[in-house]
Amino acid sequence: MQSATVHVLPSCDIDRLFALRQAARDTGAKVVIQKPKLVTRPPAPIDPDGGRAA
């Protein structure tokens, strides 16, 4: 059986954070407090012929 995970931003109000921690503890969920990570994509490959243009 897998447990639920609650992700919380560090900018969350402290009172709300305590309430979320207590609710997670009561239900057996895990609380993760971290900033969202930026997802970067690699640049598109450069085609010297201008793509598939005829």
Side-chain angles (χ1 to χ4, degrees):
M1 180 174 167
Q2 296 178 352
S3 65
T5 305
V6 179
H7 293 266
V8 182
L9 293 175
S11 60
C12 184
D13 184 36
I14 193 73
D15 295 328
R16 181 71 176 148
L17 181 62
F18 285 133
L20 287 170
R21 281 185 176 170
Q22 184 172 1
R25 184 183 59 211
D26 293 344
T27 60
K30 180 180 176 184
V31 176
V32 176
I33 302 171
Q34 66 183 20
K35 287 184 178 181
K37 295 178 183 172
L38 224 89
V39 178
T40 58
R41 295 182 183 180
I46 298 172
D47 189 2
D49 297 327
R52 296 189 179 266

